[in-house]
Structure formats: C-alpha cells, structure tokens
Amino acid sequence: MSLWNNAACVAISADLFAAAAKATPDQRSVLAAKAVCGECRARTSCLAWAMAADESGVWGGLDQNERRRLRRKSAPPAGPRR
Ligand code: SF4
C-alpha cells in the first residue's frame, strides 16, 4: 500500500495545494492546505518524504520555509573548520 492511499489531499481540489505552492502564495491558501494536512493519516510519512524531496508548497503540514528550518534544526552540528 502506498503512503498516498491515506492522503487527505486526494479528495481536495488540486488548485488549493497548487496555490499554496506558488512562489508568493497567499496565506489563506497555505492555511487551508495545512488544515487539510492536519486531518491526514499519511502526514508523518508525507513529511518525511517532503523533507528529503525539498518540494515547494505545503507537504506534511509544513510549508517549504518551515521544512527548511526543521531540516537545519535536525542537521548534525558542523564539524571543526580545517
Ligand atoms: S500531509 Fe498534506 S500534502 Fe501530505 S498527503 Fe496528507 S494532505 Fe496531502
């Protein structure tokens, strides 16, 4: 079974997530997409996929900037400079 089988967004208009993926998305679209993700049973798997894929838009309940911040927080500390 694919992780996308339980995706809440498959029942939602693709326009909503496309609007949230624009270079300068309107916050209403972003919040609406995040609300869909909040009800999604595939959210954890989706977020893990999105963290690796570096896609634009809302995936796993986070927008691209939020995922970048999470990626930086999760990165191991930089080693000494040589
Ligand atoms: S978490 Fe959001 S983007 Fe990911 S599958 Fe679920 S509804 Fe779709």
Side-chain angles (χ1 to χ4, degrees):
M1 181 195 296
S2 163
L3 81 92
W4 309 114
N5 288 352
N6 292 320
C9 53
V10 297
I12 302 295
S13 166
D15 293 346
L16 171 62
F17 280 85
K22 289 182 178 174
T24 53
D26 69 275
Q27 283 306 298
R28 211 169 45 191
S29 297
V30 171
L31 291 175
K34 287 179 178 179
V36 174
C37 294
E39 301 295 322
C40 181
R41 292 169 37 198
R43 182 177 175 184
T44 302
S45 300
C46 177
L47 181 57
W49 172 83
M51 292 290 287
D54 198 24
E55 293 286 332
S56 61
V58 173
W59 294 92
L62 301 180
D63 64 37
Q64 191 172 20
N65 289 333
E66 291 168 327
R67 291 194 305 275
R68 283 182 179 151
R69 283 194 291 274
L70 183 58
R71 202 175 286 119
R72 280 196 296 269
K73 275 188 190 173
S74 308
R81 292 192 177 180
R82 295 182 189 189

